[in-house]
Amino acid sequence: MADTPGDATTLYEEKREEMSRSNGHHVNVAEAEAQFNALSRQLSKRSQVANSQSSDSTADGNDLEKASPDDERRFDLREYLTSSNDANQQAGIKHKHVGVIWEDLQVEVAGGLNSKYVEHWVAQCLAFSLVRYYGYGALSRHYCLLKPSATRAILHKSSGVLKPGEMCLVLGCPGAGCTTFLKTIANERDGYANVSGNVLYAGIDAAEMAKYYKGEVVYNQEGECLAFCKAAYIMILALEDDIHIATLTVAQTLAFALSTKTPGPNGRIPGVTRKEFNDEVLDTLLKMLNISHTRQTLVGDEFVRGVSGGERKRVSIAEMMATRARVQCWDNSTRGLDASTALDFVKSLRVMTDVLGQTTFVTLYQAGEGIYDLFDKVLVLDQGRQVFLGPPSEARAYFENLGYNPLPRQSTADYLTGCTDPNERQFAPGKSVNDTPSSPEALETAYLYSTYASDNDDAKEKYKLLMETEKLTRRLSELPSQQTRRKVFPRRALPHENSRPIPTSHQLYSFVGSCACYRWRIFGQPPTSAGAFTRGSVIFAALLNTCLDAFGEMPMQMLGRPILRKQTSYSMYRPSAIALANTLADLPFSATRVLLYNIIVYFMVGLHRSAGAFFTFHLFNYIAYLTMQGFFRTFGLICFNFDSAFRLAVFFIPNFIQYTGYMIPVDSMKRWLFWIYYINPISYGLHGERIYENFVDMRWVIRYSKERADLTKYPNELGPNQACTLFGSQSGSNIISGRDYLAVGYGLDVNDLWRRCLPVIIGFFLAFQVTQLLALEYFPQFGFNMSINIFTKENDETKKLNAALRERKVLRESSPKDDGDAMDKEKKQAVVAGKKSFTWERMNYHVPSPSGPLRLLHDVYGYVKPGTLTALMGASGAGKTTCLDVLAQRKNIGVVSGDILVAGRPLDFDFARGTAYAEQMDVHEGTATVREAMRFSAYLRQPASVSKEEKDHYVEEMIELLELQDLTEAMVFSLGVEARKRLTIGVELASKPELLLFLDEPTSGLDAQSAWNLVRFLRKLADQGQAILCTIHQPSSLLFESFDRLLLLERGGETVYFGDIGQDSRVIREYFARNGAQCPSNVNPAEFMLEAIGAGVTPRIGDRDWKDIWLDSPEFQKVTEEIDVIKKEALALPVPDKSSTNATSFLYQLGIVVKRNSTALWRSPDYTFSRLFVTGFISLFISLSFLQLGNSLRDLQFRLFGMFWVVVLPAIVMTQIEPLFLMNRRIFVREASSRIYSPYVFALGQLIGEIPYSIICSIVYWVFMVYPMGFGKGSAGINGTGFQLLVIMFMMLFGVSLGQLVAALSPSVQRRKVAVLFNPFLGLVLATFCGVTIPYPTMARFWRSWLYQLVPYTRSLAAMVSTELHGLVIRCKSDEFAVFDPPSGQTCQQWGQDFVNTVGGYIDNLNDTTACRYCQYSIGDEFYTPLNISFSNRWRDAFILFSFVVFNLIVTIIASRFLRYAKR
C-alpha cells in the first residue's frame, strides 16, 4: 500500500496480497491496479517523447543540455484523477484526500407519524376557494389533508470517522436508515426537515462543501421514488441507480462525463489533445470494468434495448470514477445483479477506493461473504440508531457476545442484519429478550459502552486534529473551468437531441404539414378588401401556431430532471448551463422548421412579394417562437409538476391570444385589463409583421355589384355615393392606405416597427433566457423524495381487516416459529396429480439487429413439473430474463423456434390466463392502495365461480404472508423499492395461477430475511402443487437449497446445466466436481458455479466450454428422455376443455376497471382540479374581456369570439389527457399480458372515468360564459343557454375522446412528445376549417366541399351561434356605421333601401339627404345565414358532434387492441 495515496494505512491492506492470489475473482484488484499503473507509465513515456520533440524544435540559442521544466513534471494519470485544478498543479500542490467525520449526526423528517393522508379532489377545490381568506400557510394547515406536524428522528445521533482509502459497509433492515445515512453523508439533504450534528470533509463543513466542492461528494441512489413531472396524473418515477440517457452509447455517456472533468492544457501531456486524452482514459475505464465490448452499445432502459443490467451498473461506476469525487456513497447498487456480477461490482469499488485513495460508503442487501470481506469497516443501524461501527472481522463476535445465537451457515452480513430484526434473530442458549440487548435503544446503549465506541471516538479526535493542522494546505480542487463546460455542453446536447429522431422529425412534418394544409385553404389571397381580413387572420394564426408549438417544451423540461439532478450533483456542469445548451442545441432544428413553415405560409397565401417583407416576417416569427420557447421552458423549470405548470401557463396563454390587439382592438379593451397588451410578447411580434405587410396600399373592388344582378341602379365601380365598411376607408375612394387601416382599425403606428416592436421582443427573449438560468441555479425542481408513506383514510371494512391483521401479527411474533414447512411425499403426489407439466426443447430466440439476426438463446432444454420450484440463473447478460420472457410468451419481437409445450401440446390462447408473471419492473396504478391493487388482480384473474368473499380472504392471506400488514392502505406510489417489489409479487400471487408462476428476480431489493421468507413461501406453494420458475440473484446457500432444479445459462443463451440441485447442493456440486470444478465446502455453490463457468473476467475452470460439457453429459441425455416421458404421459390423457381468454365477463371487467379509474382520478387532485381551474379561468377571463355585451356590431363580433373559445377546450383537454392515457396504457400492457381484462374494457373505462369531471368542468365554463357576457338576449332566450350547456358538454367529451384517440395512436410514454406535437396540427385544422376564422363564402371550394362538413367544430359553432344570435336585434354604434352621401335630391332611404332589402342591415337616418349611416346587420340571423348556418339545424348539429365522440371511442378501442407499442 505504499503506492496507494492516502493519509493512513487501511485495514484492507493486510489482506490484499492474499486476495490478489485468489483465482476466483472476476475483478482482480492487484491486476486492475497493474493495468492502471501501466497506462500511467505509457502516458509518461508519451510525455517524454512529446517533450523531446518539443526540445528538438527549440531555437539554436537554447541550452540543449539543460533539463526542461516539463521533464521534471511528467504526466501521471493517478495525479490527474486525484489532483485539483490547473492552478494547483502549476503551484506544485499535490492534493491530499478527503476523510469524513460525522459527530452527533441526526436527521428528522416532518410528521410525528410515518405517514400522511392523500389529498383528494374536493379538498383541493375547497383549499383553492378559501385561499383568498386564509392565505397559503393557513390553508395548508387547516384545509389540506397533507398536514405538516411535529418532526420525528429517522436517524438518531451517530458518530464516526472513515479515512481516505477505506470502505464502510452500512447494514440494516429496510427502514433502518441506511439510505438516510448515506444521503446525509453525501450532503444530499433535500427532503429532510432538519439535519443536526456536524459532518466534516477533510476539515470542511457541510455548508462550505455544498457551496464550493459539491462534486467531491457524490451519491448513487438506490431505486429512489421521486415524485415530479405530474403530467396530468400522479406520476411517480421509480428511479434505478443507473440513470443515463438511454439512447446514447456507453462510449458517448462516459465521454461526456470525462469531457466535463478533463484537465486544461497544463494538466495534460504536451502534444496530446483533449480528445486523445479522454480516449485513453475511457479505454482504461472500460477495460478495468470489463465492459469494453459495450462501447458502441446503447445504454438503454426499460423502453430502449441496450446493455444488460450488470453492464449498466458498471457504466455508472465508470461515470462516477470520471467525476474524480473524493467521497462516494453507493446505495444498494447490487440490486438486480447476480452473485458474480455483484462481487465484481464491489471489487471494482475496492479498486477505485485503493487506486484513487477515495472514501467509500456502501449499503447492500444480501451481501455474500466474499463481498463482506472487502470492507474496512461495518456500520449497523437499527431503526435509525447506530448499534455497531468497527472492523468487519469482529462484528459477528460482538453480537454473539451480546447473547445472540451464532449461526455459522449464515453469511456475516445477513447475521448482523438479522440481529436487528425481531422476526429473525435468535438468542443463544440460556439467553432471552429479557437479558439480551434487543431493542434499538438497548443495542445503541450497549455499543456506546463498548470498546468499539471509545476506539471510534479516539480515531475521530485524532483524525480531526490531523485535519485541523493540515487545513491550510489541503484545500480541495475547484471545479473544472466554466470554459470547459461551455465547450462540451452543446456537444452533449446535440447528440441528445439527435438521439430522439422521431419527435424531431415528427415535429418538422407536423409543423410544415399543418401550415401547408391551412395555407392551401386560403391560397393566393388578393391585395383587395376581400383579402384584408384573411391576411390579418393568416398572420395572426401563423404567429400563434409558431408560438404555441413551443408549448411542448414545458413537459420536456420535466422529463429530463433525473439526468439533470444526477449530473449536477456530480458537478459536471452548473445547472444553468443546460438552459443555454438546450437553446443552442435546438437552434438548427427550430430555425429549419420555422423557416420552412414561413416560406409555405408567406408565398402560398400571397403576402407582399419582396425580400424585405419576407425576412421581416420571418424575423419576427422566429424571435417570437424563441421567446415563447423560453417562456414555456421557464414554467417547466420553476414548477414542481406538470399540472401546476399547466395551470400557470393557462393563466397567460388566453391573455396572450386575447390581448394581441387583433381580436380586441386596444381602444376596445377594458380599462382594467388593457395593460396586458403591453406585457404580451406576442403582440409585439404580431404588430411587427402586420406593420410591414400593410406598408403597401390595398386596392379593393365592391363585389356585390357584379354578384347581384337585381341591383342595377348601383355602379359596378366605386362611385362618389358609396363607401366601404373596412377600417380606414373614405367615402368615394377606392384606395385604403395601409397606414390608415392599421391606425383606425388597430391603433398601430408604422414607425414602431424597428424602434419599439423589435427591441421589445428581443428584450423578452433575453429576459426568458435569464429566467431559465435563475430558475436552474436558485430554484431547481428535482422532485421530492418519498421518505414517507401516504395513506388513504380507513373505512369500516378496512378498519376491521387491519385490526385482524395486526392481531395475527402479534400472535405470530409471540408464538414459537414453525419450521415444519415440508409436505410428505405421499400428500405431495396427491396434490400434483392431474396437473400439467411445462416443457421446452431446442428453444432458440433471434432478434433483429443492424448487423443481422442476433441469437440470444440457443437450444435450451428444460421442464417444470407441478409441485417443483425451479431456479433460472446465469451471469449478467446471459439471457435469464429473455428466457423467462420467451417461456412466458411475453416477447413480441424476434423469432422463437423450438417446442414449448403444456401437457405435451402446443400453447393455447388461454396460456397467459393460466400463468402469472411477476416482472422485474414494478408497474402499478400509483393511486391504488396495496390492498386495492391485490384485490383488483384477484377479482379479475381468479375464476368467476370463486366468490368475492373467498377472493378477499385470499388477498388478506397474501398481505400477511408478504408482511405488508402495516401498508395495506398505503398508496403504491409512496412505497419504497422493497415494498413495491413485494407488492408486485403479491399482485401475481393473488391470481392463484393454475398452470405456472413466473418470477423475474423476486428477491432483488429485499433484505436477507424478506428474501428468505419469500422463498419459503414459494416452497410452500410448490409443495401444494404449484409449478414455479423464477430467476434468482445472489442467493445464499440456504436459499439456493430451497429450489428443486436449476437452469444455468452462460453468455449467448447457452445451457450449462439443467437438473436437480439436491440436498446441500450435493447433485450440482458433484456435476461440477466430476468435470474439474471442485467447490470448497465453505463456499456458496451458487457463487462458485458462476465463477467456474467464467461468468466474469476470470477465465473458466477447465479447457472445454461448459456448454459442450453439458451436451456430452449423461445429465443432458436424462433431461431429453425425461421430456419425452412427460410428453408421452400427458398425451395419453384426454384433451382438456378450452377456457375463455378472460376469467370474468365483459360487464364485470368494466365495472371493476371503471371503479379503479374513478378512484384514481378522485385521488389525483392536481389532474382533476387543473382541468376545472383551466376551464373556469379561461371562461372567466374571456368573459371579463367581453363583460355584459350589448347589441352593437362590434359586440356581435365579440359574442362570436366568446363562443369561439369553446373550440379551445378540446385542445386544452387533449394536452392533459394524453400523458395520463399513455401512462395508463403502460399499466394496461402489463395487465393485458396476463389477460386480466380486454382492451375494449380499458378504452371504455378510460372514457367513463372522465365523464363526471367533464360535466362539472362544462357547467363551470358555461356559468362563467353565459351570465357575465350577457348571453340569452335573442329569440331563444334563457332556454337557449341551456342548449349551449349541452353543446359545451359534448365539446368537452369530444376533447377527452380525441385526446385518448391521439394517445392510443401514439407510441410509448418515452415518445409521448409525438402526441403533444400532433396536437397543434390537429387543433389548427379543426379550428380553421370550421368557418369562423375564414368565413364559409371565402373558403376554397375544395375544402368547403368536404373538410368543412367533416370538422366537428363546424357543428358545435353552428349550433351555438345560431342559438345565441337568432332574433338578436343589432344596433350599430356611431363609429360602426359606413357613411355615404346619396345622389343629389335623394334621401338615404331612396338611394340605399333597395340595397338594404337585398343584402340586409339597416340605414339609421332614412330621411336625411347627406351622411347616410348604414349598419351592416339589423338582426343576428343576417350575420350567420351567409355562413351556411341555420337555426333549424341546431339539434342536428349538436348530435352530429356527439357522434364524433362515439367515433373517437370506437377508434380508440381498435387502437388499444392492435397498437400497444410494447416491444420486448
Side-chain angles (χ1 to χ4, degrees):
M1 288 294 292
D3 295 334
T4 300
D7 294 321
T9 302
T10 64
L11 295 173
Y12 176 71
E13 183 178 327
E14 300 172 357
K15 302 179 289 184
R16 183 150 172 215
E17 183 177 354
E18 178 183 354
M19 292 178 59
S20 66
R21 291 195 298 266
S22 174
N23 195 31
H25 296 347
H26 297 183
V27 175
N28 190 287
V29 177
E31 182 181 348
E33 291 191 20
Q35 294 175 358
F36 200 88
N37 294 328
L39 178 63
S40 298
R41 290 191 296 272
Q42 176 186 353
L43 295 178
S44 298
K45 292 178 182 178
R46 293 186 60 181
S47 175
Q48 295 176 14
V49 173
N51 293 335
S52 175
Q53 293 174 349
S54 177
S55 300
D56 293 341
S57 62
T58 57
D60 294 339
N62 292 345
D63 185 2
L64 300 178
E65 301 295 330
K66 184 177 179 179
S68 170
D70 292 332
D71 293 334
E72 298 175 0
R73 184 172 53 82
R74 296 180 182 178
F75 175 79
D76 184 5
L77 184 58
R78 186 197 308 278
E79 182 66 18
Y80 149 67
L81 290 172
T82 59
S83 67
S84 58
N85 55 18
D86 294 344
N88 284 352
Q89 289 183 340
Q90 291 175 357
I93 299 175
K94 289 191 175 181
H95 181 31
K96 294 186 179 181
H97 306 285
V98 181
V100 179
I101 290 178
W102 63 99
E103 293 181 290
D104 297 331
L105 179 62
Q106 180 167 307
V107 180
E108 298 175 354
V109 296
L113 300 175
N114 188 28
S115 64
K116 293 182 179 180
Y117 289 106
V118 64
E119 185 182 18
H120 53 72
W121 183 68
V122 172
Q124 191 163 69
C125 294
L126 177 63
F128 180 78
S129 64
L130 294 171
V131 70
R132 59 179 174 270
Y133 297 113
Y134 293 95
Y136 180 77
L139 169 69
S140 62
R141 287 193 299 272
H142 298 291
Y143 294 98
C144 290
L145 294 180
L146 288 172
K147 300 178 181 179
S149 57
T151 61
R152 66 179 182 89
I154 59 173
L155 183 65
H156 297 270
K157 290 185 178 181
S158 171
S159 300
V161 59
L162 195 67
K163 299 177 183 179
E166 289 184 338
M167 293 176 62
C168 178
L169 176 62
V170 184
L171 296 176
C173 295
C178 299
T179 295
T180 301
F181 175 79
L182 259 63
K183 292 183 70 176
T184 310
I185 290 295
N187 233 1
E188 297 277 347
R189 304 189 175 196
D190 295 339
Y192 300 122
N194 182 43
V195 178
S196 59
N198 192 21
V199 182
L200 297 176
Y201 309 88
I204 300 174
D205 60 32
E208 183 179 356
M209 200 74 181
K211 184 175 182 180
Y212 297 107
Y213 314 112
K214 182 180 179 182
E216 308 301 339
V217 183
V218 295
Y219 170 74
N220 187 282
Q221 67 262 32
E222 185 195 4
E224 192 171 315
C225 192
L226 293 182
F228 72 98
C229 186
K230 235 170 133 183
Y233 53 88
I234 290 186
M235 173 180 175
I236 304 298
L237 183 62
L239 298 176
E240 295 185 10
D241 48 344
D242 308 299
I243 307 171
H244 303 284
I245 299 175
T247 48
L248 295 184
T249 65
V250 171
Q252 289 172 330
T253 299
L254 297 180
F256 171 71
L258 287 169
S259 61
T260 61
K261 299 288 185 176
T262 305
N266 295 327
R268 298 197 307 270
I269 307 167
V272 176
T273 65
R274 180 186 300 273
K275 183 178 184 304
E276 292 173 340
F277 179 86
N278 287 341
D279 289 342
E280 292 281 3
V281 179
L282 176 61
D283 290 340
T284 300
L285 293 176
L286 294 176
K287 290 177 182 177
M288 286 182 65
L289 299 173
N290 192 32
I291 50 174
S292 298
H293 60 284
T294 66
R295 174 188 288 268
Q296 299 305 325
T297 306
L298 297 181
V299 175
D301 61 5
E302 59 180 306
F303 300 106
V304 180
R305 204 179 79 203
V307 298
S308 68
E311 292 164 344
R312 193 176 300 121
K313 291 252 190 304
R314 282 175 268 180
V315 173
S316 297
I317 298 173
E319 187 178 39
M320 285 189 68
M321 291 180 69
T323 65
R324 298 188 291 165
R326 273 66 173 179
V327 181
Q328 297 187 2
C329 299
W330 298 85
D331 190 1
N332 197 22
S333 294
T334 60
R335 181 174 61 89
L337 294 184
D338 59 83
S340 173
T341 306
L343 185 60
D344 282 349
F345 170 81
V346 180
K347 286 181 179 178
S348 298
L349 293 183
R350 183 77 256 179
V351 172
M352 185 169 57
T353 302
D354 290 339
V355 171
L356 306 178
Q358 293 175 341
T359 306
T360 306
F361 294 84
V362 181
T363 180
L364 298 174
Y365 287 155
Q366 307 178 47
E369 207 66 30
I371 292 176
Y372 181 81
D373 291 337
L374 292 170
F375 289 88
D376 303 297
K377 289 186 178 181
V378 59
L379 170 65
V380 182
L381 296 175
D382 185 6
Q383 295 185 20
R385 298 184 184 273
Q386 181 175 314
V387 299
F388 183 79
L389 175 60
S393 59
E394 302 176 19
R396 181 188 284 267
Y398 170 79
F399 280 93
E400 290 176 356
N401 293 334
L402 289 179
Y404 290 95
N405 191 30
L407 302 173
R409 295 189 65 189
Q410 192 175 29
S411 67
T412 304
D414 292 349
Y415 176 78
L416 298 179
T417 304
C419 289
T420 65
D421 187 350
N423 298 321
E424 181 182 1
R425 61 189 173 208
Q426 300 178 21
F427 298 107
K431 293 286 187 178
S432 68
V433 67
N434 297 324
D435 55 4
T436 302
S438 55
S439 67
E441 295 80 4
L443 286 170
E444 182 185 41
T445 302
Y447 165 72
L448 293 176
Y449 284 101
S450 69
T451 57
Y452 296 102
S454 59
D455 291 344
N456 280 324
D457 290 339
D458 293 340
K460 180 183 63 178
E461 294 301 325
K462 290 179 181 178
Y463 192 69
K464 186 191 296 185
L465 179 62
L466 176 64
M467 288 191 299
E468 290 295 331
T469 55
E470 296 184 359
K471 190 172 183 180
L472 294 178
T473 59
R474 54 180 307 174
R475 305 298 294 177
L476 291 175
S477 63
E478 297 292 339
L479 299 177
S481 64
Q482 187 71 20
Q483 179 182 4
T484 299
R485 287 191 287 272
R486 284 198 302 267
K487 290 180 179 179
V488 69
F489 210 85
R491 294 202 300 271
R492 176 258 185 184
L494 282 170
H496 182 40
E497 191 77 22
N498 288 330
S499 67
R500 292 171 173 257
I502 291 182
T504 303
S505 60
H506 186 92
Q507 191 175 20
L508 178 62
Y509 300 150
S510 174
F511 210 46
V512 175
S514 63
C515 78
C517 180
Y518 178 62
R519 305 318 157 195
W520 181 259
R521 181 174 63 92
I522 49 178
F523 177 78
Q525 291 297 311
T528 66
S529 62
F533 179 77
T534 55
R535 284 169 176 270
S537 67
V538 163
I539 296 173
F540 179 63
L543 183 64
L544 280 186
N545 192 36
T546 305
C547 293
L548 296 183
D549 178 71
F551 184 81
E553 297 288 340
M554 193 164 61
M556 298 309 296
Q557 296 304 302
M558 300 179 184
L559 292 177
R561 285 178 179 176
I563 301 288
L564 176 64
R565 181 186 188 187
K566 183 190 73 170
Q567 293 181 341
T568 53
S569 68
Y570 290 171
S571 285
M572 291 183 178
Y573 49 83
R574 295 192 67 86
S576 57
I578 197 171
L580 182 60
N582 284 341
T583 300
L584 295 177
D586 188 59
L587 284 177
F589 302 99
S590 62
T592 302
R593 193 169 63 247
V594 175
L595 178 61
L596 291 176
Y597 176 84
N598 288 340
I599 290 175
I600 296 174
V601 169
Y602 198 88
F603 294 102
M604 286 189 68
V605 170
L607 299 180
H608 183 52
R609 301 291 180 90
S610 72
F614 170 74
F615 283 107
T616 300
F617 174 83
H618 176 63
L619 174 66
F620 278 95
N621 217 8
Y622 187 50
I623 295 179
Y625 169 79
L626 294 178
T627 301
M628 296 307 296
Q629 183 186 61
F631 173 80
F632 288 119
R633 283 181 174 177
T634 299
F635 281 176
L637 295 174
I638 65 175
C639 293
F640 179 74
N641 55 40
F642 180 83
D643 289 309
S644 58
F646 185 59
R647 291 195 294 262
L648 191 58
V650 170
F651 181 85
F652 288 92
I653 291 176
N655 297 310
F656 281 173
I657 297 174
Q658 191 92 325
Y659 288 90
T660 56
Y662 175 76
M663 297 182 70
I664 308 176
V666 179
D667 57 359
S668 298
M669 295 177 183
K670 303 296 182 182
R671 289 300 90 190
W672 62 86
L673 295 175
F674 80 97
W675 53 270
I676 300 176
Y677 166 81
Y678 292 100
I679 63 170
N680 182 3
I682 299 181
S683 67
Y684 295 95
L686 178 65
H687 296 165
E689 295 177 7
R690 297 193 69 191
I691 286 173
Y692 204 99
E693 175 64 23
N694 287 282
F695 274 158
V696 181
D697 290 346
M698 296 181 295
R699 297 183 62 88
W700 56 272
V701 180
I702 300 176
R703 304 288 298 276
Y704 68 84
S705 60
K706 295 182 179 179
E707 294 174 357
R708 298 185 180 275
D710 53 336
L711 299 178
T712 56
K713 72 175 184 178
Y714 301 110
N716 291 334
E717 298 293 336
L718 184 67
N721 304 115
Q722 294 166 293
C724 178
T725 58
L726 200 63
F727 295 125
S729 64
Q730 297 180 3
S731 177
S733 174
N734 65 346
I735 298 295
I736 300 177
S737 170
R739 292 175 178 266
D740 294 340
Y741 175 73
L742 295 176
V744 176
Y746 300 97
L748 300 181
D749 185 354
V750 296
N751 296 319
D752 288 340
L753 177 63
W754 305 115
R755 73 183 183 187
R756 185 172 73 117
C757 296
L758 184 62
V760 171
I761 197 171
I762 291 176
F764 274 114
F765 165 71
L766 297 176
F768 289 133
Q769 295 301 310
V770 172
T771 57
Q772 292 181 67
L773 301 179
L774 295 177
L776 284 166
E777 281 292 328
Y778 300 105
F779 308 100
Q781 298 290 338
F782 294 136
F784 64 89
N785 297 320
M786 298 301 300
S787 57
I788 59 173
N789 296 122
I790 298 180
F791 291 79
T792 61
K793 291 286 188 180
E794 291 181 325
N795 55 31
D796 293 338
E797 179 195 8
T798 56
K799 281 182 180 179
K800 294 179 181 179
L801 293 173
N802 292 335
L805 288 173
R806 287 191 293 268
E807 290 177 3
R808 289 197 296 269
K809 181 179 179 181
V810 173
L811 182 63
R812 188 179 65 254
E813 291 174 352
S814 60
S815 63
K817 293 182 172 59
D818 179 18
D819 295 329
D821 298 330
M823 182 183 293
D824 61 65
K825 190 173 182 180
E826 292 182 2
K827 288 184 178 180
K828 186 172 181 179
Q829 289 177 349
V831 168
V832 302
K835 293 198 173 184
K836 304 173 184 177
S837 296
F838 183 60
T839 63
W840 59 94
E841 303 175 85
R842 301 177 300 278
M843 186 174 69
N844 292 269
Y845 179 56
H846 295 78
V847 296
S849 69
S851 57
L854 178 65
R855 187 180 66 195
L856 300 183
L857 297 175
H858 183 217
D859 287 345
V860 182
Y861 287 75
Y863 56 86
V864 180
K865 292 183 177 181
T868 60
L869 179 59
T870 304
L872 175 55
M873 297 182 64
S876 177
K880 302 181 295 299
T881 300
T882 299
C883 182
L884 207 63
D885 286 344
V886 171
L887 292 175
Q889 302 297 295
R890 299 301 171 95
K891 292 291 185 185
N892 53 25
I893 59 172
V895 178
V896 178
S897 60
D899 297 330
I900 303 177
L901 308 174
V902 173
R905 297 176 175 85
L907 304 183
D908 290 329
F909 61 86
D910 61 345
F911 171 77
R913 177 190 158 187
T915 61
Y917 188 3
E919 300 187 38
Q920 193 171 350
M921 296 301 297
D922 306 318
V923 180
H924 302 283
E925 169 57 55
T927 58
T929 66
V930 170
R931 178 179 279 116
E932 289 169 351
M934 296 176 68
R935 282 187 171 185
F936 182 84
S937 177
Y939 290 163
L940 294 180
R941 298 175 70 176
Q942 292 188 24
S945 58
V946 180
S947 67
K948 178 178 179 296
E949 290 74 18
E950 292 181 69
K951 295 177 181 178
D952 290 342
H953 179 71
Y954 187 73
V955 166
E956 297 304 307
E957 291 182 357
M958 295 299 101
I959 290 174
E960 189 173 5
L961 167 80
L962 297 169
E963 298 179 359
L964 293 169
Q965 300 97 321
D966 298 330
L967 298 172
T968 55
E969 307 309 314
M971 307 280 278
V972 172
F973 73 81
S974 69
L975 298 177
V977 175
E978 181 252 355
R980 281 201 309 273
K981 176 58 67 178
R982 284 188 283 168
L983 174 63
T984 299
I985 297 168
V987 166
E988 297 303 319
L989 293 178
S991 66
K992 297 182 70 172
E994 298 176 357
L995 177 60
L996 196 64
L997 173 61
F998 297 97
L999 301 103
D1000 191 9
E1001 304 179 20
T1003 61
S1004 296
L1006 303 183
D1007 65 301
Q1009 180 62 22
S1010 298
W1012 172 244
N1013 290 339
L1014 175 63
V1015 173
R1016 286 177 69 244
F1017 172 69
L1018 295 178
R1019 180 72 267 167
K1020 285 183 179 180
L1021 287 179
D1023 291 341
Q1024 294 171 6
Q1026 181 69 61
I1028 302 174
L1029 175 62
C1030 71
T1031 60
I1032 190 76
H1033 286 164
Q1034 306 175 42
S1036 64
S1037 323
L1038 295 174
L1039 213 65
F1040 186 59
E1041 293 169 14
S1042 300
F1043 291 87
D1044 298 301
R1045 294 188 182 88
L1046 169 70
L1047 173 58
L1048 181 61
L1049 301 178
E1050 69 176 8
R1051 291 189 184 277
E1054 302 284 356
T1055 304
V1056 171
Y1057 177 82
F1058 177 79
D1060 294 341
I1061 294 176
Q1063 187 174 4
D1064 198 22
S1065 306
R1066 178 182 55 82
V1067 176
I1068 194 171
R1069 285 174 183 265
E1070 292 176 355
Y1071 173 80
F1072 276 91
R1074 191 172 67 248
N1075 292 285
Q1078 183 70 43
C1079 178
S1081 59
N1082 62 340
V1083 174
N1084 184 352
E1087 297 179 3
F1088 173 80
M1089 64 184 183
L1090 292 175
E1091 298 173 355
I1093 65 176
V1097 179
T1098 305
R1100 66 174 181 267
I1101 297 177
D1103 298 331
R1104 296 184 64 195
D1105 196 319
W1106 283 92
K1107 69 178 178 62
D1108 298 327
I1109 295 175
W1110 164 250
L1111 293 175
D1112 295 338
S1113 68
E1115 285 81 359
F1116 173 69
Q1117 299 301 324
K1118 183 179 178 181
V1119 168
T1120 57
E1121 293 171 0
E1122 182 68 18
I1123 292 176
D1124 291 338
V1125 171
I1126 292 173
K1127 292 191 297 184
K1128 183 177 180 181
E1129 293 177 351
L1131 291 174
L1133 299 175
V1135 179
D1137 296 333
K1138 295 183 179 180
S1139 58
S1140 60
T1141 303
N1142 302 107
T1144 55
S1145 66
F1146 176 84
L1147 291 179
Y1148 185 80
Q1149 295 173 37
L1150 184 62
I1152 297 296
V1153 171
V1154 168
K1155 180 180 179 181
R1156 184 178 73 166
N1157 290 346
S1158 300
T1159 303
L1161 292 175
W1162 176 258
R1163 293 174 182 167
S1164 306
D1166 272 348
Y1167 169 69
T1168 51
F1169 177 72
S1170 291
R1171 187 185 305 176
L1172 179 66
F1173 174 86
V1174 167
T1175 53
F1177 179 82
I1178 289 179
S1179 180
L1180 177 62
F1181 215 94
I1182 298 305
S1183 297
L1184 290 177
S1185 302
F1186 302 134
L1187 201 59
Q1188 290 301 312
L1189 296 174
N1191 292 1
S1192 68
L1193 190 61
R1194 191 166 295 243
D1195 287 338
L1196 172 67
Q1197 186 178 20
F1198 290 163
R1199 287 179 187 273
L1200 180 63
F1201 282 147
M1203 287 180 284
F1204 182 74
W1205 274 97
V1206 174
V1207 306
V1208 177
L1209 294 180
I1212 294 173
V1213 173
M1214 288 170 62
T1215 303
Q1216 194 189 30
I1217 201 75
E1218 287 164 355
L1220 174 65
F1221 185 91
L1222 287 168
M1223 279 302 296
N1224 287 341
R1225 187 178 67 183
R1226 181 170 175 253
I1227 300 171
F1228 163 69
V1229 167
R1230 179 190 67 80
E1231 295 173 336
S1233 300
S1234 300
R1235 304 295 189 269
I1236 300 181
Y1237 53 91
S1238 72
Y1240 315 113
V1241 170
F1242 166 72
L1244 280 170
Q1246 292 297 307
L1247 180 62
I1248 294 174
E1250 295 281 352
I1251 290 176
Y1253 301 98
S1254 298
I1255 293 175
I1256 294 173
C1257 293
S1258 300
I1259 293 173
V1260 171
Y1261 187 94
W1262 172 77
V1263 169
F1264 286 152
M1265 179 189 76
V1266 169
Y1267 297 104
M1269 286 196 216
F1271 278 18
K1273 295 181 179 179
S1275 299
I1278 299 299
N1279 293 333
T1281 60
F1283 173 79
Q1284 290 175 339
L1285 172 60
L1286 179 66
V1287 176
I1288 293 173
M1289 288 182 180
F1290 287 169
M1291 282 294 287
M1292 190 69 71
L1293 291 175
F1294 173 78
V1296 171
S1297 61
L1298 184 61
Q1300 292 178 348
L1301 168 60
V1302 173
L1305 296 174
S1306 301
S1308 63
V1309 176
Q1310 185 76 1
R1311 296 175 176 179
R1312 65 169 166 260
K1313 195 177 179 183
V1314 174
V1316 174
L1317 292 174
F1318 189 69
N1319 291 345
F1321 167 76
L1322 195 59
L1324 185 66
V1325 172
L1326 294 177
T1328 56
F1329 285 91
C1330 64
V1332 174
T1333 55
I1334 302 298
Y1336 174 82
T1338 61
M1339 189 180 298
R1341 184 181 298 274
F1342 173 77
W1343 303 112
R1344 190 171 59 189
S1345 62
W1346 67 280
L1347 189 55
Y1348 167 80
Q1349 305 293 341
L1350 192 62
V1351 168
Y1353 293 178
T1354 301
R1355 309 302 171 182
S1356 60
L1357 287 175
M1360 293 188 70
V1361 169
S1362 62
T1363 301
E1364 172 61 23
L1365 300 186
H1366 177 62
L1368 180 67
V1369 177
I1370 306 299
R1371 289 294 176 262
C1372 287
K1373 294 182 179 180
S1374 59
D1375 60 341
E1376 296 174 342
F1377 289 106
V1379 180
F1380 62 91
D1381 292 326
S1384 179
Q1386 294 189 32
T1387 63
C1388 296
Q1389 181 179 14
Q1390 294 172 338
W1391 172 246
Q1393 191 61 42
D1394 293 340
F1395 177 83
V1396 170
N1397 294 337
T1398 304
V1399 178
Y1402 70 93
I1403 299 176
D1404 187 53
N1405 50 345
L1406 294 174
N1407 298 322
D1408 291 354
T1409 57
T1410 58
C1412 301
R1413 297 186 300 274
Y1414 170 71
C1415 185
Q1416 192 172 357
Y1417 306 111
S1418 63
I1419 194 171
D1421 302 64
E1422 296 175 352
F1423 171 80
Y1424 65 72
T1425 300
L1427 302 179
N1428 197 37
I1429 296 175
S1430 173
F1431 177 76
S1432 60
N1433 293 333
R1434 66 190 188 283
W1435 285 101
R1436 181 206 67 179
D1437 293 335
F1439 281 95
I1440 289 177
L1441 174 62
F1442 182 75
S1443 68
F1444 280 102
V1445 177
V1446 178
F1447 171 80
N1448 292 341
L1449 176 61
I1450 294 173
V1451 178
T1452 302
I1453 292 173
I1454 296 173
S1456 299
R1457 171 64 179 84
F1458 297 103
L1459 300 177
R1460 299 180 189 174
Y1461 298 101
K1463 295 182 179 181
R1464 53 181 300 179

